[in-house]
Amino acid sequence: MSVDYVTNSTIAAMEKMLAPRPRTILVQMKSGLSHRSRAKSKFFSLRALRTFQTITHMTNLKHLRYLDCSYSDVSSLPEATSMLYSLQTLKLIGCNNLNKLPEGMRYMSSLRHIFLTGCYHLEHMPQGIGQLNSLVTLTNYVIGSDADRGIDQLRDLNLGGALSLTELRKVHSAENAKQGNLSAKHNLKRLALNWYGDYSTNVGYEVDTNAEGILEALRPHKRLEVLMLSNYTGAKLSSWMNNSTLL
């Protein structure tokens, strides 16, 4: 079921029409109702949900496979989101206020697609993303300094499509960069490398020779279609970038 705008009367009508087991609800426009998410939690059998507000009773949605909160004002998802063990697709595109994801996401073993494009204020990734063995889409990865938030978490993930790496300045060595195993990710089509965040105000202008070794170690596979380099602090580009088959 797709609705353009949700009100109290809409929810009541939905409950009568769809009860007891609706499978899909897609809300197309934002609403000012702060409690409608609670009402939606009554739909226990939902498989797909698009919403613009945080859902407070995530544990009631144990069958959910598709969750889309794109272009909402959400700043964080409830930690209970990590208990959606059947969830396969999580879309948070254009959530500019989003600053963190649930720490327990590493337990969401069914996750295959995480879309974070336009989440410019995301501070770091949850620990242990590398445990999501089914993951094939991760549009953005914010590299952290803490344990289990580094580039090494990408090592065993068979990612495809587009991948944007930010905060590469936190990669401490070329050997550390190699742990990202980018050269083995043959399904990647687009790769963006950013030494700082998208809206960082701390971009430095001093040459960092360590950055040159890191860039060399981030060599992608030969069939990459698009490469974007931002806020790079090295003095020269890597040798693999002279190979036209990589660009």
Short mmCIF file of all heavy atoms in Angstrom, two decimals, residues 157-226:
data_model
loop_
_atom_site.label_atom_id
_atom_site.label_comp_id
_atom_site.label_asym_id
_atom_site.label_seq_id
_atom_site.Cartn_x
_atom_site.Cartn_y
_atom_site.Cartn_z
N LEU A 157 34.57 -8.21 2.47
CA LEU A 157 33.26 -7.87 1.90
C LEU A 157 33.35 -7.82 0.38
O LEU A 157 34.20 -7.14 -0.18
CB LEU A 157 32.79 -6.51 2.44
CG LEU A 157 32.57 -6.44 3.96
CD1 LEU A 157 32.07 -5.04 4.34
CD2 LEU A 157 31.59 -7.50 4.44
N ASN A 158 32.44 -8.52 -0.28
CA ASN A 158 32.41 -8.55 -1.74
C ASN A 158 31.49 -7.44 -2.25
O ASN A 158 30.38 -7.69 -2.73
CB ASN A 158 31.92 -9.92 -2.22
CG ASN A 158 31.99 -10.06 -3.72
OD1 ASN A 158 32.77 -9.38 -4.38
ND2 ASN A 158 31.16 -10.94 -4.27
N LEU A 159 31.97 -6.21 -2.14
CA LEU A 159 31.14 -5.05 -2.46
C LEU A 159 31.13 -4.74 -3.94
O LEU A 159 32.11 -4.96 -4.65
CB LEU A 159 31.65 -3.82 -1.69
CG LEU A 159 31.65 -3.94 -0.16
CD1 LEU A 159 32.26 -2.69 0.47
CD2 LEU A 159 30.23 -4.16 0.37
N GLY A 160 30.00 -4.20 -4.41
CA GLY A 160 29.86 -3.81 -5.80
C GLY A 160 29.20 -2.45 -5.91
O GLY A 160 28.85 -1.82 -4.92
N GLY A 161 29.03 -1.98 -7.14
CA GLY A 161 28.40 -0.68 -7.36
C GLY A 161 29.33 0.46 -7.01
O GLY A 161 30.45 0.53 -7.51
N ALA A 162 28.88 1.36 -6.14
CA ALA A 162 29.65 2.54 -5.76
C ALA A 162 30.08 2.44 -4.30
O ALA A 162 29.34 1.96 -3.45
CB ALA A 162 28.82 3.81 -5.97
N LEU A 163 31.30 2.91 -4.04
CA LEU A 163 31.82 2.94 -2.67
C LEU A 163 32.57 4.25 -2.47
O LEU A 163 33.45 4.60 -3.27
CB LEU A 163 32.77 1.76 -2.42
CG LEU A 163 33.53 1.77 -1.08
CD1 LEU A 163 32.56 1.68 0.09
CD2 LEU A 163 34.54 0.63 -1.03
N SER A 164 32.23 4.96 -1.40
CA SER A 164 32.91 6.19 -1.04
C SER A 164 33.60 6.00 0.31
O SER A 164 32.94 5.64 1.29
CB SER A 164 31.91 7.36 -0.95
OG SER A 164 32.54 8.53 -0.48
N LEU A 165 34.90 6.20 0.34
CA LEU A 165 35.68 6.11 1.58
C LEU A 165 36.04 7.51 2.04
O LEU A 165 36.68 8.26 1.30
CB LEU A 165 36.95 5.30 1.35
CG LEU A 165 36.78 3.85 0.89
CD1 LEU A 165 38.15 3.19 0.71
CD2 LEU A 165 35.93 3.05 1.86
N THR A 166 35.64 7.86 3.25
CA THR A 166 35.99 9.17 3.81
C THR A 166 36.84 8.99 5.05
O THR A 166 36.89 7.92 5.64
CB THR A 166 34.73 9.99 4.15
OG1 THR A 166 33.92 9.25 5.07
CG2 THR A 166 33.92 10.27 2.90
N GLU A 167 37.52 10.08 5.44
CA GLU A 167 38.42 10.09 6.59
C GLU A 167 39.62 9.16 6.39
O GLU A 167 40.10 8.52 7.32
CB GLU A 167 37.68 9.73 7.88
CG GLU A 167 36.58 10.70 8.26
CD GLU A 167 37.10 12.07 8.73
OE1 GLU A 167 38.32 12.20 8.93
OE2 GLU A 167 36.28 12.98 8.88
N LEU A 168 40.13 9.12 5.15
CA LEU A 168 41.30 8.28 4.87
C LEU A 168 42.54 8.74 5.62
O LEU A 168 43.51 7.98 5.74
CB LEU A 168 41.57 8.26 3.36
CG LEU A 168 40.71 7.27 2.56
CD1 LEU A 168 40.78 7.58 1.08
CD2 LEU A 168 41.16 5.85 2.83
N ARG A 169 42.52 9.94 6.15
CA ARG A 169 43.65 10.42 6.95
C ARG A 169 43.83 9.58 8.22
O ARG A 169 44.90 9.60 8.84
CB ARG A 169 43.45 11.89 7.32
CG ARG A 169 42.22 12.14 8.19
CD ARG A 169 41.86 13.62 8.26
NE ARG A 169 40.62 13.83 8.98
CZ ARG A 169 40.53 14.07 10.27
NH1 ARG A 169 41.64 14.14 11.01
NH2 ARG A 169 39.37 14.27 10.86
N LYS A 170 42.81 8.82 8.59
CA LYS A 170 42.89 7.98 9.78
C LYS A 170 43.49 6.60 9.49
O LYS A 170 43.66 5.80 10.40
CB LYS A 170 41.49 7.84 10.40
CG LYS A 170 40.95 9.16 10.93
CD LYS A 170 39.59 9.00 11.56
CE LYS A 170 39.07 10.35 12.06
NZ LYS A 170 37.70 10.24 12.65
N VAL A 171 43.78 6.34 8.21
CA VAL A 171 44.51 5.12 7.86
C VAL A 171 45.97 5.40 8.17
O VAL A 171 46.57 6.33 7.63
CB VAL A 171 44.33 4.78 6.37
CG1 VAL A 171 45.17 3.58 5.99
CG2 VAL A 171 42.85 4.53 6.07
N HIS A 172 46.59 4.63 9.05
CA HIS A 172 47.89 5.02 9.59
C HIS A 172 49.09 4.55 8.79
O HIS A 172 50.22 4.96 9.07
CB HIS A 172 48.03 4.55 11.05
CG HIS A 172 47.71 3.10 11.26
ND1 HIS A 172 48.57 2.09 10.92
CD2 HIS A 172 46.60 2.51 11.80
CE1 HIS A 172 48.03 0.92 11.23
NE2 HIS A 172 46.83 1.15 11.77
N SER A 173 48.88 3.67 7.79
CA SER A 173 50.02 3.21 7.00
C SER A 173 49.54 2.56 5.71
O SER A 173 48.36 2.23 5.56
CB SER A 173 50.85 2.19 7.79
OG SER A 173 50.11 1.00 7.98
N ALA A 174 50.46 2.37 4.79
CA ALA A 174 50.14 1.69 3.54
C ALA A 174 49.71 0.25 3.80
O ALA A 174 48.79 -0.28 3.15
CB ALA A 174 51.34 1.73 2.60
N GLU A 175 50.35 -0.40 4.75
CA GLU A 175 49.98 -1.77 5.09
C GLU A 175 48.55 -1.84 5.62
O GLU A 175 47.81 -2.77 5.32
CB GLU A 175 50.96 -2.34 6.12
CG GLU A 175 52.32 -2.69 5.56
CD GLU A 175 52.23 -3.70 4.42
OE1 GLU A 175 51.51 -4.70 4.59
OE2 GLU A 175 52.87 -3.48 3.38
N ASN A 176 48.19 -0.85 6.40
CA ASN A 176 46.83 -0.77 6.91
C ASN A 176 45.85 -0.58 5.76
O ASN A 176 44.78 -1.20 5.71
CB ASN A 176 46.73 0.39 7.91
CG ASN A 176 45.36 0.51 8.56
OD1 ASN A 176 44.96 1.60 8.95
ND2 ASN A 176 44.62 -0.57 8.66
N ALA A 177 46.22 0.27 4.78
CA ALA A 177 45.36 0.53 3.62
C ALA A 177 45.14 -0.74 2.80
O ALA A 177 44.03 -0.98 2.29
CB ALA A 177 45.96 1.62 2.75
N LYS A 178 46.16 -1.56 2.68
CA LYS A 178 46.04 -2.80 1.91
C LYS A 178 45.02 -3.74 2.52
O LYS A 178 44.43 -4.59 1.82
CB LYS A 178 47.40 -3.50 1.84
CG LYS A 178 48.40 -2.83 0.91
CD LYS A 178 49.71 -3.60 0.89
CE LYS A 178 50.73 -2.93 -0.02
NZ LYS A 178 52.03 -3.66 -0.02
N GLN A 179 44.78 -3.60 3.82
CA GLN A 179 43.81 -4.47 4.49
C GLN A 179 42.39 -4.23 4.00
O GLN A 179 41.51 -5.05 4.23
CB GLN A 179 43.90 -4.27 6.00
CG GLN A 179 45.21 -4.76 6.59
CD GLN A 179 45.29 -4.52 8.09
OE1 GLN A 179 44.61 -3.66 8.65
NE2 GLN A 179 46.12 -5.30 8.77
N GLY A 180 42.17 -3.10 3.33
CA GLY A 180 40.86 -2.84 2.73
C GLY A 180 40.58 -3.74 1.54
O GLY A 180 39.42 -3.90 1.13
N ASN A 181 41.63 -4.30 0.95
CA ASN A 181 41.51 -5.29 -0.12
C ASN A 181 40.69 -4.78 -1.31
O ASN A 181 39.89 -5.53 -1.89
CB ASN A 181 40.88 -6.57 0.44
CG ASN A 181 41.19 -7.79 -0.40
OD1 ASN A 181 42.15 -7.81 -1.16
ND2 ASN A 181 40.36 -8.82 -0.26
N LEU A 182 40.90 -3.53 -1.69
CA LEU A 182 40.11 -2.95 -2.78
C LEU A 182 40.36 -3.63 -4.12
O LEU A 182 39.46 -3.73 -4.95
CB LEU A 182 40.40 -1.45 -2.90
CG LEU A 182 39.94 -0.56 -1.74
CD1 LEU A 182 40.14 0.90 -2.09
CD2 LEU A 182 38.47 -0.83 -1.38
N SER A 183 41.56 -4.07 -4.35
CA SER A 183 41.89 -4.68 -5.64
C SER A 183 41.10 -5.95 -5.91
O SER A 183 40.94 -6.37 -7.07
CB SER A 183 43.39 -4.98 -5.71
OG SER A 183 43.76 -5.91 -4.70
N ALA A 184 40.60 -6.58 -4.86
CA ALA A 184 39.85 -7.83 -5.02
C ALA A 184 38.35 -7.61 -5.18
O ALA A 184 37.60 -8.57 -5.41
CB ALA A 184 40.10 -8.74 -3.82
N LYS A 185 37.91 -6.36 -5.11
CA LYS A 185 36.47 -6.07 -5.19
C LYS A 185 36.11 -5.79 -6.65
O LYS A 185 35.92 -4.65 -7.07
CB LYS A 185 36.11 -4.91 -4.27
CG LYS A 185 36.51 -5.21 -2.81
CD LYS A 185 36.03 -4.18 -1.84
CE LYS A 185 36.66 -4.39 -0.48
NZ LYS A 185 36.56 -5.76 0.06
N HIS A 186 35.99 -6.85 -7.43
CA HIS A 186 35.85 -6.74 -8.88
C HIS A 186 34.48 -6.23 -9.33
O HIS A 186 34.31 -5.91 -10.51
CB HIS A 186 36.13 -8.10 -9.52
CG HIS A 186 37.51 -8.62 -9.24
ND1 HIS A 186 38.65 -8.01 -9.74
CD2 HIS A 186 37.94 -9.67 -8.49
CE1 HIS A 186 39.72 -8.68 -9.33
NE2 HIS A 186 39.32 -9.68 -8.56
N ASN A 187 33.52 -6.16 -8.43
CA ASN A 187 32.19 -5.67 -8.81
C ASN A 187 32.03 -4.17 -8.57
O ASN A 187 30.97 -3.61 -8.89
CB ASN A 187 31.12 -6.43 -8.04
CG ASN A 187 31.07 -7.90 -8.43
OD1 ASN A 187 31.19 -8.24 -9.60
ND2 ASN A 187 30.89 -8.77 -7.45
N LEU A 188 33.06 -3.53 -8.03
CA LEU A 188 33.00 -2.07 -7.84
C LEU A 188 33.06 -1.36 -9.19
O LEU A 188 33.91 -1.67 -10.03
CB LEU A 188 34.15 -1.59 -6.96
CG LEU A 188 33.98 -1.67 -5.44
CD1 LEU A 188 35.22 -1.09 -4.77
CD2 LEU A 188 32.73 -0.94 -4.98
N LYS A 189 32.19 -0.38 -9.37
CA LYS A 189 32.17 0.42 -10.59
C LYS A 189 32.66 1.85 -10.35
O LYS A 189 33.29 2.45 -11.22
CB LYS A 189 30.75 0.47 -11.18
CG LYS A 189 30.15 -0.89 -11.49
CD LYS A 189 30.94 -1.62 -12.56
CE LYS A 189 30.29 -2.94 -12.92
NZ LYS A 189 31.10 -3.71 -13.90
N ARG A 190 32.34 2.37 -9.17
CA ARG A 190 32.70 3.75 -8.82
C ARG A 190 33.39 3.75 -7.46
O ARG A 190 32.92 3.11 -6.52
CB ARG A 190 31.47 4.66 -8.77
CG ARG A 190 30.69 4.74 -10.08
CD ARG A 190 29.37 5.45 -9.87
NE ARG A 190 29.56 6.81 -9.40
CZ ARG A 190 29.64 7.86 -10.20
NH1 ARG A 190 29.56 7.71 -11.51
NH2 ARG A 190 29.81 9.07 -9.70
N LEU A 191 34.48 4.49 -7.36
CA LEU A 191 35.22 4.57 -6.11
C LEU A 191 35.58 6.03 -5.82
O LEU A 191 36.18 6.71 -6.66
CB LEU A 191 36.50 3.73 -6.18
CG LEU A 191 37.41 3.75 -4.94
CD1 LEU A 191 36.69 3.16 -3.73
CD2 LEU A 191 38.71 2.99 -5.23
N ALA A 192 35.20 6.51 -4.64
CA ALA A 192 35.53 7.87 -4.21
C ALA A 192 36.43 7.78 -2.99
O ALA A 192 36.11 7.08 -2.02
CB ALA A 192 34.26 8.66 -3.89
N LEU A 193 37.56 8.48 -3.04
CA LEU A 193 38.53 8.48 -1.94
C LEU A 193 38.66 9.89 -1.40
O LEU A 193 39.07 10.80 -2.12
CB LEU A 193 39.89 7.97 -2.45
CG LEU A 193 39.90 6.59 -3.11
CD1 LEU A 193 41.28 6.27 -3.67
CD2 LEU A 193 39.45 5.51 -2.14
N ASN A 194 38.32 10.08 -0.14
CA ASN A 194 38.32 11.40 0.48
C ASN A 194 39.14 11.34 1.77
O ASN A 194 38.84 10.55 2.66
CB ASN A 194 36.89 11.84 0.78
CG ASN A 194 36.80 13.31 1.16
OD1 ASN A 194 37.78 13.92 1.57
ND2 ASN A 194 35.61 13.88 1.04
N TRP A 195 40.19 12.16 1.84
CA TRP A 195 41.05 12.13 3.02
C TRP A 195 40.40 12.76 4.24
O TRP A 195 40.85 12.58 5.37
CB TRP A 195 42.39 12.80 2.70
CG TRP A 195 43.46 11.79 2.44
CD1 TRP A 195 44.53 11.50 3.22
CD2 TRP A 195 43.55 10.88 1.33
NE1 TRP A 195 45.27 10.48 2.67
CE2 TRP A 195 44.69 10.08 1.50
CE3 TRP A 195 42.75 10.66 0.20
CZ2 TRP A 195 45.07 9.10 0.60
CZ3 TRP A 195 43.12 9.68 -0.71
CH2 TRP A 195 44.27 8.91 -0.49
N TYR A 196 39.35 13.51 4.03
CA TYR A 196 38.61 14.14 5.13
C TYR A 196 37.13 13.82 4.93
O TYR A 196 36.76 13.02 4.08
CB TYR A 196 38.84 15.65 5.17
CG TYR A 196 40.22 16.03 5.64
CD1 TYR A 196 41.33 15.99 4.79
CD2 TYR A 196 40.44 16.42 6.97
CE1 TYR A 196 42.60 16.32 5.24
CE2 TYR A 196 41.71 16.76 7.42
CZ TYR A 196 42.78 16.70 6.55
OH TYR A 196 44.04 17.02 7.00
N GLY A 197 36.26 14.43 5.74
CA GLY A 197 34.83 14.25 5.57
C GLY A 197 34.31 15.18 4.48
O GLY A 197 35.01 16.10 4.03
N ASP A 198 33.07 14.96 4.08
CA ASP A 198 32.49 15.76 3.00
C ASP A 198 32.38 17.23 3.37
O ASP A 198 32.51 18.10 2.51
CB ASP A 198 31.11 15.22 2.64
CG ASP A 198 31.21 13.87 1.95
OD1 ASP A 198 31.72 13.82 0.82
OD2 ASP A 198 30.77 12.87 2.53
N TYR A 199 32.13 17.52 4.63
CA TYR A 199 31.99 18.91 5.07
C TYR A 199 33.00 19.26 6.15
O TYR A 199 32.75 20.11 7.00
CB TYR A 199 30.56 19.16 5.59
CG TYR A 199 29.55 19.29 4.49
CD1 TYR A 199 28.66 18.25 4.22
CD2 TYR A 199 29.47 20.44 3.71
CE1 TYR A 199 27.72 18.35 3.21
CE2 TYR A 199 28.54 20.55 2.70
CZ TYR A 199 27.66 19.50 2.45
OH TYR A 199 26.74 19.61 1.44
N SER A 200 34.14 18.63 6.12
CA SER A 200 35.16 18.88 7.14
C SER A 200 35.72 20.29 7.01
O SER A 200 35.95 20.81 5.92
CB SER A 200 36.30 17.87 7.00
OG SER A 200 37.32 18.15 7.94
N THR A 201 35.93 20.92 8.17
CA THR A 201 36.53 22.26 8.20
C THR A 201 37.99 22.19 8.62
O THR A 201 38.63 23.22 8.81
CB THR A 201 35.76 23.17 9.19
OG1 THR A 201 35.80 22.58 10.49
CG2 THR A 201 34.32 23.35 8.74
N ASN A 202 38.52 20.98 8.75
CA ASN A 202 39.88 20.80 9.24
C ASN A 202 40.85 20.34 8.16
O ASN A 202 41.89 19.76 8.44
CB ASN A 202 39.90 19.77 10.38
CG ASN A 202 39.03 20.21 11.55
OD1 ASN A 202 39.09 21.36 11.96
ND2 ASN A 202 38.24 19.29 12.07
N VAL A 203 40.48 20.58 6.90
CA VAL A 203 41.33 20.15 5.81
C VAL A 203 42.67 20.88 5.86
O VAL A 203 42.72 22.11 5.89
CB VAL A 203 40.65 20.39 4.45
CG1 VAL A 203 41.58 19.99 3.32
CG2 VAL A 203 39.33 19.62 4.38
N GLY A 204 43.73 20.12 5.88
CA GLY A 204 45.06 20.72 5.94
C GLY A 204 45.66 20.87 4.55
O GLY A 204 45.24 20.21 3.60
N TYR A 205 46.65 21.73 4.43
CA TYR A 205 47.27 21.98 3.14
C TYR A 205 48.73 21.55 3.12
O TYR A 205 49.42 21.72 2.13
CB TYR A 205 47.16 23.47 2.78
CG TYR A 205 45.72 23.90 2.57
CD1 TYR A 205 45.00 24.52 3.60
CD2 TYR A 205 45.08 23.68 1.36
CE1 TYR A 205 43.69 24.90 3.41
CE2 TYR A 205 43.77 24.06 1.16
CZ TYR A 205 43.07 24.67 2.19
OH TYR A 205 41.77 25.05 2.01
N GLU A 206 49.20 20.98 4.21
CA GLU A 206 50.58 20.50 4.25
C GLU A 206 50.68 19.14 3.58
O GLU A 206 49.79 18.30 3.70
CB GLU A 206 51.06 20.40 5.71
CG GLU A 206 51.16 21.75 6.42
CD GLU A 206 51.72 21.61 7.82
OE1 GLU A 206 52.06 20.46 8.19
OE2 GLU A 206 51.81 22.62 8.52
N VAL A 207 51.78 18.95 2.87
CA VAL A 207 52.00 17.70 2.18
C VAL A 207 52.27 16.59 3.19
O VAL A 207 53.05 16.75 4.12
CB VAL A 207 53.18 17.81 1.19
CG1 VAL A 207 53.52 16.45 0.60
CG2 VAL A 207 52.84 18.82 0.10
N ASP A 208 51.60 15.46 3.00
CA ASP A 208 51.77 14.30 3.85
C ASP A 208 52.25 13.14 2.98
O ASP A 208 51.47 12.56 2.22
CB ASP A 208 50.45 13.96 4.54
CG ASP A 208 50.56 12.75 5.45
OD1 ASP A 208 51.70 12.27 5.68
OD2 ASP A 208 49.51 12.28 5.94
N THR A 209 53.52 12.81 3.09
CA THR A 209 54.06 11.75 2.24
C THR A 209 53.45 10.39 2.59
O THR A 209 53.44 9.48 1.75
CB THR A 209 55.59 11.67 2.38
OG1 THR A 209 55.94 11.53 3.77
CG2 THR A 209 56.23 12.94 1.84
N ASN A 210 52.93 10.24 3.78
CA ASN A 210 52.26 9.00 4.16
C ASN A 210 51.04 8.76 3.29
O ASN A 210 50.69 7.61 2.98
CB ASN A 210 51.87 9.05 5.63
CG ASN A 210 51.36 7.71 6.14
OD1 ASN A 210 51.97 6.68 5.92
ND2 ASN A 210 50.22 7.74 6.83
N ALA A 211 50.40 9.85 2.87
CA ALA A 211 49.21 9.74 2.03
C ALA A 211 49.54 9.11 0.68
O ALA A 211 48.71 8.41 0.09
CB ALA A 211 48.58 11.12 1.83
N GLU A 212 50.74 9.35 0.19
CA GLU A 212 51.14 8.79 -1.11
C GLU A 212 51.21 7.28 -1.05
O GLU A 212 50.76 6.58 -1.97
CB GLU A 212 52.48 9.39 -1.53
CG GLU A 212 52.42 10.90 -1.72
CD GLU A 212 53.80 11.52 -1.89
OE1 GLU A 212 54.78 10.76 -2.08
OE2 GLU A 212 53.90 12.75 -1.84
N GLY A 213 51.76 6.75 0.01
CA GLY A 213 51.83 5.29 0.18
C GLY A 213 50.46 4.68 0.36
O GLY A 213 50.18 3.57 -0.14
N ILE A 214 49.60 5.40 1.05
CA ILE A 214 48.24 4.91 1.27
C ILE A 214 47.48 4.85 -0.05
O ILE A 214 46.80 3.86 -0.36
CB ILE A 214 47.52 5.80 2.30
CG1 ILE A 214 48.13 5.58 3.68
CG2 ILE A 214 46.02 5.50 2.31
CD1 ILE A 214 47.64 6.55 4.73
N LEU A 215 47.61 5.90 -0.86
CA LEU A 215 46.94 5.91 -2.16
C LEU A 215 47.45 4.78 -3.04
O LEU A 215 46.67 4.12 -3.75
CB LEU A 215 47.15 7.26 -2.85
CG LEU A 215 46.48 7.42 -4.22
CD1 LEU A 215 44.97 7.26 -4.11
CD2 LEU A 215 46.82 8.79 -4.82
N GLU A 216 48.74 4.54 -3.00
CA GLU A 216 49.32 3.44 -3.78
C GLU A 216 48.71 2.10 -3.35
O GLU A 216 48.42 1.23 -4.18
CB GLU A 216 50.83 3.41 -3.59
CG GLU A 216 51.56 2.42 -4.48
CD GLU A 216 51.57 2.84 -5.94
OE1 GLU A 216 51.64 4.05 -6.23
OE2 GLU A 216 51.48 1.92 -6.80
N ALA A 217 48.49 1.94 -2.07
CA ALA A 217 47.95 0.68 -1.54
C ALA A 217 46.46 0.52 -1.80
O ALA A 217 45.93 -0.58 -1.66
CB ALA A 217 48.22 0.61 -0.03
N LEU A 218 45.79 1.61 -2.18
CA LEU A 218 44.35 1.55 -2.44
C LEU A 218 44.05 1.25 -3.91
O LEU A 218 42.93 1.49 -4.38
CB LEU A 218 43.70 2.89 -2.05
CG LEU A 218 43.68 3.19 -0.55
CD1 LEU A 218 43.16 4.60 -0.29
CD2 LEU A 218 42.85 2.16 0.22
N ARG A 219 45.01 0.72 -4.61
CA ARG A 219 44.84 0.39 -6.03
C ARG A 219 43.61 -0.49 -6.24
O ARG A 219 43.51 -1.57 -5.67
CB ARG A 219 46.08 -0.33 -6.53
CG ARG A 219 46.03 -0.72 -8.00
CD ARG A 219 47.24 -1.55 -8.36
NE ARG A 219 47.26 -1.84 -9.79
CZ ARG A 219 48.22 -1.48 -10.61
NH1 ARG A 219 49.28 -0.82 -10.16
NH2 ARG A 219 48.16 -1.77 -11.90
N PRO A 220 42.67 -0.04 -7.06
CA PRO A 220 41.46 -0.84 -7.31
C PRO A 220 41.70 -1.83 -8.46
O PRO A 220 42.78 -1.87 -9.05
CB PRO A 220 40.43 0.21 -7.71
CG PRO A 220 41.25 1.28 -8.39
CD PRO A 220 42.61 1.28 -7.70
N HIS A 221 40.67 -2.59 -8.78
CA HIS A 221 40.78 -3.52 -9.89
C HIS A 221 40.76 -2.75 -11.22
O HIS A 221 40.40 -1.57 -11.28
CB HIS A 221 39.63 -4.54 -9.84
CG HIS A 221 38.27 -3.92 -10.08
ND1 HIS A 221 37.72 -3.78 -11.33
CD2 HIS A 221 37.36 -3.42 -9.21
CE1 HIS A 221 36.54 -3.21 -11.25
NE2 HIS A 221 36.30 -2.98 -9.96
N LYS A 222 41.12 -3.41 -12.30
CA LYS A 222 41.35 -2.74 -13.58
C LYS A 222 40.07 -2.31 -14.30
O LYS A 222 40.14 -1.50 -15.23
CB LYS A 222 42.17 -3.65 -14.49
CG LYS A 222 43.58 -3.90 -13.99
CD LYS A 222 44.36 -4.76 -14.96
CE LYS A 222 45.79 -4.97 -14.47
NZ LYS A 222 46.58 -5.80 -15.42
N ARG A 223 38.93 -2.84 -13.91
CA ARG A 223 37.69 -2.52 -14.63
C ARG A 223 36.89 -1.41 -13.95
O ARG A 223 35.72 -1.19 -14.31
CB ARG A 223 36.84 -3.79 -14.78
CG ARG A 223 37.49 -4.86 -15.65
CD ARG A 223 36.52 -6.00 -15.95
NE ARG A 223 36.07 -6.66 -14.73
CZ ARG A 223 36.75 -7.61 -14.11
NH1 ARG A 223 37.92 -8.01 -14.58
NH2 ARG A 223 36.27 -8.18 -13.01
N LEU A 224 37.49 -0.72 -13.01
CA LEU A 224 36.81 0.40 -12.36
C LEU A 224 36.44 1.45 -13.41
O LEU A 224 37.25 1.80 -14.27
CB LEU A 224 37.71 1.02 -11.30
CG LEU A 224 37.06 2.03 -10.34
CD1 LEU A 224 36.15 1.30 -9.36
CD2 LEU A 224 38.11 2.82 -9.60
N GLU A 225 35.22 1.99 -13.32
CA GLU A 225 34.74 2.94 -14.32
C GLU A 225 34.96 4.40 -13.91
O GLU A 225 35.23 5.25 -14.75
CB GLU A 225 33.25 2.69 -14.59
CG GLU A 225 32.97 1.33 -15.22
CD GLU A 225 31.49 1.07 -15.40
OE1 GLU A 225 30.67 1.97 -15.04
OE2 GLU A 225 31.13 -0.02 -15.90
N VAL A 226 34.81 4.69 -12.62
CA VAL A 226 34.93 6.08 -12.14
C VAL A 226 35.76 6.12 -10.88
O VAL A 226 35.54 5.32 -9.96
CB VAL A 226 33.53 6.69 -11.86
CG1 VAL A 226 33.68 8.12 -11.32
CG2 VAL A 226 32.68 6.68 -13.12
#
